[in-house]
Each structure stands twice: as structure tokens, then as C-alpha cells.
């Protein structure tokens, strides 16, 4: 029952506890010496009786101190222990009063007996509170085991020792005399039941209290046996009670010096509770055999005891069944909880990323077999970092949990929502096409931004969200055999939603139209740009440059105003070629120096046309610089690095890519791989490295391709 390692380590570490232990052992040695002296000088019983009170007085004082300094359940236990020890001391004082003040021994039944027995009555709940089980069913089983053990041992003790010693007409004094061993048995069996209940860790003070009560129970039994055997020399049993008092004192010191946590339960490694069953069975068998040997019918008392034993055994088995049923239920619940935790996010309660990835694979296979579409919505909370920075991460956690609930409310029962990472969520929509997915995404966006999110303390925050939608399957660009690419498509659409000003839903299938991006684009110059494209190649050029430039700008996270300039500049960057002779534009042979000079004037001419005819001076500086190089070797002004507007740096890469992939009079179209190699070679010299990297990432993701399908109409 006790944890000797804990107690031993405590004794080694605590100097005061070592001193107290030494004093206690020293006192026991002194008391044994006094007993020997009293045996030699028989009339000098005061030599033993008065010092006998010393450790009891000390134990009472220390117990009261422990009750004051401890807390919680431990304080309740020490309050009961202090009361029990005080009752014991009062009983001893009454006994000394009768013996040395009145000059005669106490009567057969005196008030001293009342205090002695009362101390036992208080001791039992002290054991159960301080050391006993905290589990309801286990607590009941412990009490029942204690009852069976006490009844069994009491029955055996009654048959073997007490019943043969009782006179034919027992008096009250006889019953009082045998009440002591019965209480001793009760205390020992209570300790046994507590031990059978099991502990994860028993505090040092509890181990010492348990040892003290165990010594007291054994001593009481020995004393009762000596009285029954008419052994008048019972002074040596006083040593047991002295040991009890010393152990109680040491327990109080341990509680005062080290207020340890309360004892906790541990799972049983083996079922030691079979011990009460065996003893109860032996007691019942002994009763039946004893009555049969008397060759008489079973007496009423025997029947009552047998019924009590059998009732206790039956009740205990019912409790075991109930306990096992409860444990099985708890185990099933724990397993279900473990399964739930394995697939859900602990903060928001929605599914986790791992579960989403598995469901994406399963739903993609199912949609491919059924030839139905599969859509995905990627959700990112706009500027969520401001919530964490301004209100703290706990407030951010509250926001994420509430946002998850709003997202769930906007989905269908067949949809799956998961936390994708940080402030990102992802929704899987089986059977939903792009139009339905965008509609659901818009409902979610409105649900997130409609009402402020309460974060406690009367505070709230307003949030918006950006959503990217991607669809695979029927009539969608992305095949269902590439579910991972669906996430990339949604991610790219989400980037566009962020770049376009946040708080909106963008679908990957929605191509960006530069005219929609900037409705103030001069229609006449747009028409002129198309005519110039048709002179040079059979494929689109300025429209493709504009679209690809917009994607790069979105990927780099530029603001909306800059994004509009990028799209417009990409669409009109070559209008200045109107001043270049057709012969120069269509010449297959190398250009002369004069022809190169004429061609290099077209960026400045584009800027002039935008300023004078298009009333768009904001675009003039961009188109004027789209042939500048990052290392400063470009034209017309030789600008370098950050001197070149970011819009022009982006258009430069898209323009070069479109030119390399188209058949021109002076060169045949390159392959995508060859064009990619040229962009990589020009990284840091011709092109801004960051822009080049963003552009090539879009190429790798399939968002930027070739010009094969981008034919333009013939000029009118």
C-alpha cells in the first residue's frame, strides 16, 4: 500500500524528518528501558504509565498543526486524525486520573473506554478520507471488501479465540473488552481494503499513518488475547501503542514539512481483492462445520452471519460486473475519441489536413467513376495576423473556432471542411460544378464577414476572407486524375482574390479579362494593338502578355491599382510600333543600325500615344520602360533594378515569353522548354529575378502556356 521509495527518499532529503525519526526511535529505546526497570521494581508502575503519555501528547500537538497547514482533502483527514488522537489522549488521562488521583484503577466499564473506542470510530473515516479511494465504485468496493474481510476475520477470531474465552453469562465489561480487538480488526481491514483499491502514489505521511494504525490493530488484538488468556503481565503491549504514537507524530511532521499532492489511483496489475473472498468463504465454511460438529441445528446468529457473508459476496460480484461494464464503456468512448482526434483539428473541431488529403483522393476516384464534377474551395482569412498581433494568440484561436463554425453552416451535408493550415480552411464539394462551388463560396464569404466575431471581454473583431475555387471533372480544365493539381488551382485562384483586393471569390476557370480589369482602357488603342499583333504573327500577343502579366502581379501580391496598370500596359505596350515601317516589322534578315534605331523608338512612341491620344499618362512610364533591362543595358533610358517600374519589369518577362513562342519573320517559335531556358539565362541580367521566378512558377503550374490556341482575327 505504501510507497517506500517515496518515503525513503523523503527521509534522505529532509533533515528535520531525519531528526524527528531519530528522536522517535530514541524515545522507544528509553521506553523499553523503563519497562525493564518497572519489571524489576514492580510497584513502580508510574515509572511507565506517566512517560507513556509523552508521545501521545506530542502526536496530538503535531496532528493539530498538520490540520492547520495542509489543504483540501488532506486537511480533512488530519482534522479527523487530530480528533482521534485527542480522544485517545483524553482516555489515557482519564485512566491516569483513576489510577493515581483516585488511588484505584478504573472500573470495568469507564469513561476512558468511551474515549478509547470513540477514537477508533473517528480513525476509520480518517483512513478512508486521507488514504482511501476517490472513485465512487471503487470506494464502494473497498468498503465492501473491508466489511467482508472484517466479518470473515471477526468470525474466525470469534470461533478460535473469543467464543471459547467468554464466560457462560457474559457481562457488559466482557463485550467492551472484546470491542477493542474488533475495532482493531476493522481498522486493519479498512487499511487492507484501501490497499486493495490501489494507489498511483501514496504520500509519505499517509504511509506512516497507515503503518501506525496497522500497529495499533495488531497491538489491540494481542492485548485482547492476553486478557482472554488471563495474562496479567500485559505491560509489554504498551510498546505497540508507543510505536503507534511515534508513527502518528512522524506522519504529522511529514505532512507539515512536505504538503504533497493527494494520493491518486493506479490500475491494478492483479486482482488482490480475491483475499476478502477467500477469507469470507473460509469463515462461512468454518461456521457451518462448527455448528455441524455440535450436532445441532444452525443457530440464528450463525444464519445471520452466513446471510451477511453471502449477501456481501453477491453485492461485490454485482459491483465488479458494473465496474467492468463502466470500464468497457469508458474504453469504447476513449477509442472513439482517439479516432476523432486522429482526423480532426483540436482547435476548430473540423477535419485536419491529413484527413482532407485522403478524402480528396477518395472523392476524386468516385467522381471519375461516376463522371461527376468535384470542386474545392480554399479559404484564407484576410489580414488575420493583425488579430494575433493586436489581441494575442488566444483571441486568434477563439476567432478560428468561430469562423470554422460559420464555414460549416454554409456547406451541404455531403461537403467536407478541414483546417488546411494557420488561418486557411479548405472545403471539398463532391458533385458540385464551378458555378455551384462559386455560389457556396460566396455564401461562406458573406457568413464570415456579415457579423463581428466576439473574442471575450466585450471585444470583437470584423474579418473578411478571400476564396479560391477550383473544379475538376466534367467540362473542367483539370482532369480528376490529378486531384493534387486541384489544390494548386484553388491556391492560384486564392492568390488572385488576394491581389484583386481581398474579400472576394475567384474561380480558377475564370480567365482574367484585361478590359474588365481596367474599364477605362482606350478602345481605339486596344483596336490598334490588335492590328499590330496581326501584322507580326498569326497568334495573339498583347492579350496574352496582359493576361500573363496579371497572373505574375497577383502572384507577387501587388495592390489592385498596380495590377490594373500591369494589365493595361501589357495590352498596349506595343502600340508605338505604329510608327515603325511594315518592312522593318516583317523583315526576315538582320536589321541595319538605322532600322534598329527606328524599332527602338517604339516604347517612347507608345508612351506618347497613351498620353496624347489615350489620356492615360499613368501608363506612359510603364510602356516606355518595358524594354529596359534589369542590369541597365536596355533601352531607351538604360534604367536598372528598382529604377524600372515593377509593372514594366513584369511586362518585360511576359513579352519576351510571348515573342519566343510565336513564329516571327526573323525566327521560328521556340519550344516551351527552350523559352524557359532563356528566361532562366536572363534572370538577373535582362529580367528581375523575383519576377522571373514567379513567372516560371506559373509555367510549372500550367497557368502560363503557349500561344497555339490564341489566334487573332484578321485586321479589318
Amino acid at each position: 500500500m505504501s510507497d517506500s521509495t517515496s518515503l525513503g527518499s523523503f527521509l534522505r532529503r529532509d533533515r528535520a524528518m531525519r531528526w524527528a525519526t531519530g528522536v522517535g526511535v530514541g524515545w522507544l529505546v528509553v521506553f523499553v528501558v523503563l519497562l525493564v526497570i518497572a519489571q524489576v521494581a514492580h510497584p513502580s508502575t508510574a515509572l511507565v504509565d506517566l512517560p507513556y503519555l509523552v508521545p501521545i501528547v506530542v502526536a496530538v500537538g503535531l496532528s493539530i498543526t498538520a490540520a492547520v497547514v495542509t489543504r483540501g482533502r488532506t486537511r480533512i483527514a488530519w482534522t479527523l486524525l487530530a480528533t482521534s488522537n485527542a480522544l485517545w489522549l483524553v482516555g489515557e488521562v482519564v485512566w491516569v486520573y483513576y489510577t493515581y488521583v483516585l488511588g484505584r484503577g478504573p472500573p470495568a466499564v469507564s469513561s476512558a473506554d468511551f474515549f478509547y473506542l470513540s477514537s477508533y470510530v473517528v480513525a476509520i473515516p480518517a483512513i478512508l478520507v486521507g488514504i482511501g479511494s476517490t472513485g465512487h465504485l471503487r470506494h464502494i468496493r473497498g468498503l465492501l471488501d473491508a466489511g467482508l474481510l472484517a466479518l470473515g476475520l471477526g468470525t474466525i477470531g470469534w470461533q478460535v479465540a473469543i467464543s471459547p474465552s467468554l464466560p457462560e453469562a457474559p457481562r457488559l465489561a466482557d463485550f467492551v473488552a472484546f470491542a477493542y480487538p474488533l475495532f482493531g480488526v476493522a481498522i486493519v481491514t479498512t487499511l487492507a481494503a484501501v490497499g486493495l483499491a490501489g494507489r498511483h502514489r501514496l504520500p509519505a505521511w499517509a504511509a506512516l499513518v497507515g503503518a501506525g494504525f496497522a500497529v495499533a490493530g495488531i497491538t489491540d488484538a494481542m492485548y485482547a488475547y492476553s486478557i482472554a488468556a488471563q495474562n496479567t503481565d500485559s505491560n509489554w503491549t504498551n510498546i505497540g501503542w508507543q510505536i503507534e504514537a511515534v508513527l502518528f507524530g512522524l506522519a504529522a511532521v511529514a505532512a507539515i514539512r512536505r504538503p504533497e499532492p493527494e494520493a491518486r489511483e493506479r490500475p491494478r496489475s492483479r486482482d488482490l481483492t480475491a483475499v476478502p473472498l477467500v477469507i469470507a468463504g473460509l469463515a462461512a465454511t468454518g461456521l457451518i462445520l462448527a455448528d455441524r460438529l455440535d450436532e445441532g441445528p444452525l443457530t440464528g446468529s450463525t444464519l445471520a452471519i452466513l446471510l451477511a457473508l453471502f449477501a456481501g459476496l453477491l453485492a461485490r460480484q454485482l459491483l465488479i460486473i458494473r465496474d467492468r461494464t463502466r470500464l468497457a464503456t469508458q474504453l469504447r468512448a476513449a477509442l472513439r475519441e482517439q479516432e476523432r482526434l486522429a482526423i480532426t483539428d483540436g482547435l476548430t473541431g473540423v477535419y485536419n489536413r491529413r484527413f482532407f488529403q485522403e478524402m480528396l483522393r477518395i472523392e476524386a476516384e468516385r467522381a471519375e467513376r461516376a463522371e461527376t464534377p468535384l470542386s474545392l474551395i480554399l479559404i484564407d482569412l484576410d489580414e488575420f495576423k493583425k488579430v494575433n498581433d493586436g489581441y494575442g494568440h488566444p483571441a486568434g484561436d477563439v476567432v478560428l473556432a468561430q469562423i470554422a463554425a460559420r464555414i460549416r453552416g454554409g456547406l451541404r451535408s455531403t461537403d467536407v471542411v478541414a483546417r488546411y493550415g494557420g488561418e486557411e480552411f479548405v472545403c471539398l464539394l463532391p458533385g458540385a460544378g464551378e458555378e455551384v462551388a462559386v455560389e457556396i463560396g460566396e455564401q461562406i464569404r458573406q457568413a464570415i464577414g456579415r457579423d463581428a466575431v466576439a473574442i471575450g471581454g466585450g471585444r470583437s473583431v470584423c474579418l473578411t476572407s478571400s476564396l479560391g475555387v477550383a473544379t475538376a471533372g466534367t467540362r473542367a480544365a483539370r482532369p480528376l486524375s490529378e486531384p493534387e493539381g486541384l489544390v494548386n488551382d484553388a491556391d492560384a485562384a486564392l492568390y488572385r482574390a488576394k491581389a484583386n483586393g481581398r474579400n472576394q471569390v475567384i474561380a480558377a476557370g475564370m480567365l482574367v479579362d484585361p478590359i474588365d480589369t481596367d474599364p477605362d482602357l482606350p478602345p481605339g488603342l486596344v483596336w490598334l494593338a490588335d492590328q499590330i499583333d496581326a501584322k507580326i504573327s498569326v497568334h495573339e500577343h498583347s492579350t496574352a502578355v496582359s493576361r500573363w502579366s496579371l497572373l505574375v502581379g497577383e502572384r507577387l501580391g501587388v495592390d489592385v491599382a498596380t495590377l490594373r496598370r500591369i494589365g493595361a500596359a501589357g495590352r498596349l505596350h506595343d502600340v508605338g510600333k505604329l510608327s515603325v515601317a511594315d518592312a522593318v516589322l516583317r523583315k526576315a534578315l538582320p536589321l541595319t543600325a538605322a532600322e534598329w534605331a527606328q524599332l527602338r523608338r517604339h516604347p517612347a512612341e507608345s508612351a506618347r500615344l497613351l498620353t496624347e491620344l489615350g489620356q492615360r499618362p499613368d501608363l506612359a512610364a510603364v510602356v516606355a520602360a518595358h524594354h529596359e533591362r534589369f542590369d541597365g543595358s536596355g533601352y531607351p533610358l538604360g534604367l536598372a533594378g528598382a529604377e524600372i517600374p515593377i509593372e514594366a519589369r513584369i511586362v518585360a518577362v511576359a513579352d519576351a515569353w510571348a515573342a519566343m513562342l510565336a513564329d516571327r519573320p526573323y525566327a521560328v517559335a521556340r519550344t516551351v522548354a527552350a523559352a524557359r531556358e532563356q528566361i532562366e539565362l536572363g534572370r538577373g541580367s535582362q529580367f528581375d529575378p523575383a519576377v522571373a521566378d514567379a513567372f516560371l512558377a506559373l509555367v510549372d503550374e500550367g497557368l502560363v502556356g503557349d500561344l497555339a490556341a490564341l489566334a487573332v482575327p484578321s485586321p479589318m
Side-chain angles (χ1 to χ4, degrees), residues 550-588:
L550 280 170
L551 291 175
V552 175
E554 292 168 355
R555 178 59 58 93
L556 292 175
V558 301
D559 58 71
V560 176
T562 303
L563 198 66
R564 287 178 176 174
R565 285 195 298 273
I566 290 171
R571 190 74 169 86
L572 303 177
H573 69 288
D574 275 346
V575 293
K577 287 182 178 179
L578 179 67
S579 63
V580 181
D582 289 349
V584 174
L585 292 176
R586 296 174 178 174
K587 186 176 181 180

Side-chain angles (χ1 to χ4, degrees), residues 194-251:
V194 168
L196 294 173
R199 286 289 145 204
H200 174 69
R201 179 175 176 272
L202 197 63
W205 68 263
L208 290 168
V209 167
F213 278 125
V215 171
I218 295 171
T219 303
D220 286 335
M222 292 174 58
Y223 179 75
Y225 180 79
S226 66
I227 295 299
Q230 297 182 352
N231 181 5
T232 57
D233 187 12
S234 58
N235 283 337
W236 289 103
T237 55
N238 289 333
I239 297 176
W241 291 312
Q242 290 288 284
I243 294 174
E244 175 191 8
V246 169
L247 288 173
F248 285 163
L250 292 176

Side-chain angles (χ1 to χ4, degrees), residues 330-632:
Q330 290 177 347
L331 179 60
R332 286 194 296 269
L335 290 174
R336 286 195 298 268
E337 180 65 10
Q338 288 298 319
E339 292 174 356
R340 187 189 68 81
L341 292 175
I343 62 173
T344 58
D345 174 60
L347 175 62
T348 61
V350 299
Y351 292 112
N352 57 25
R353 183 169 180 167
R354 179 183 300 177
F355 179 78
F356 159 75
Q357 290 171 334
E358 182 63 20
M359 287 302 298
L360 175 62
R361 181 187 63 80
I362 293 172
E363 291 296 342
E365 293 175 356
R366 182 181 298 160
E368 189 171 24
R369 290 193 303 268
E371 297 183 352
T372 56
L374 176 66
S375 291
L376 185 148
I377 304 175
L378 198 59
I379 306 165
D380 185 81
L381 300 182
D382 297 330
E383 298 181 324
F384 182 75
K385 186 175 182 296
K386 293 182 179 179
V387 177
N388 284 332
D389 293 345
Y391 300 97
H393 286 276
D397 292 345
V398 172
V399 169
L400 289 175
Q402 295 192 42
I403 292 299
R406 295 186 184 185
I407 294 173
R408 281 198 300 264
L411 296 176
R412 306 168 302 173
S413 59
T414 56
D415 300 334
V416 175
V417 57
R419 187 180 179 191
Y420 200 64
E423 66 272 19
E424 281 190 334
F425 296 87
V426 63
C427 303
L428 191 62
L429 282 60
E434 183 178 273
E435 184 176 350
V436 174
V438 170
E439 182 180 349
I440 293 175
E442 183 60 27
Q443 292 175 358
I444 293 173
R445 184 192 69 81
Q446 293 179 14
I448 292 174
R450 183 181 300 117
D451 301 314
V453 180
I455 57 175
R459 300 173 301 172
S460 61
V461 295
C462 295
L463 290 172
T464 60
S465 59
S466 299
L467 296 87
V469 177
T471 302
T474 305
R475 296 188 300 276
R478 174 71 63 180
L480 284 164
S481 58
E482 303 175 5
E484 295 81 7
L486 194 62
V487 179
N488 294 333
D489 292 346
D491 191 45
L494 175 62
Y495 269 110
R496 285 175 25 204
K498 290 281 191 183
N500 287 348
R502 304 185 180 91
N503 193 26
Q504 57 187 281
V505 181
I506 295 291
M510 298 177 181
L511 293 177
V512 179
D513 191 332
I515 296 179
D516 290 340
T517 302
D518 193 341
D520 295 328
L521 212 60
L525 293 183
V526 172
W527 177 84
L528 185 59
D530 290 337
Q531 306 309 302
I532 294 170
D533 284 349
K535 288 182 181 180
I536 300 173
S537 173
V538 296
H539 298 109
E540 264 187 358
H541 177 80
S542 62
T543 302
V545 170
S546 178
R547 289 175 178 173
W548 292 337
S549 297
L550 280 170
L551 291 175
V552 175
E554 292 168 355
R555 178 59 58 93
L556 292 175
V558 301
D559 58 71
V560 176
T562 303
L563 198 66
R564 287 178 176 174
R565 285 195 298 273
I566 290 171
R571 190 74 169 86
L572 303 177
H573 69 288
D574 275 346
V575 293
K577 287 182 178 179
L578 179 67
S579 63
V580 181
D582 289 349
V584 174
L585 292 176
R586 296 174 178 174
K587 186 176 181 180
L589 298 174
L591 299 179
T592 65
E595 291 170 339
W596 266 116
Q598 183 184 15
L599 182 63
R600 288 182 175 182
R601 285 198 298 270
H602 86 270
E605 183 65 15
S606 296
R608 186 186 68 80
L609 290 173
L610 282 167
T611 302
E612 296 177 3
L613 298 181
Q615 305 300 314
R616 292 298 302 272
D618 58 312
L619 300 179
V622 178
V623 298
H626 80 276
H627 274 292
E628 300 286 359
R629 298 171 65 98
F630 194 74
D631 61 2

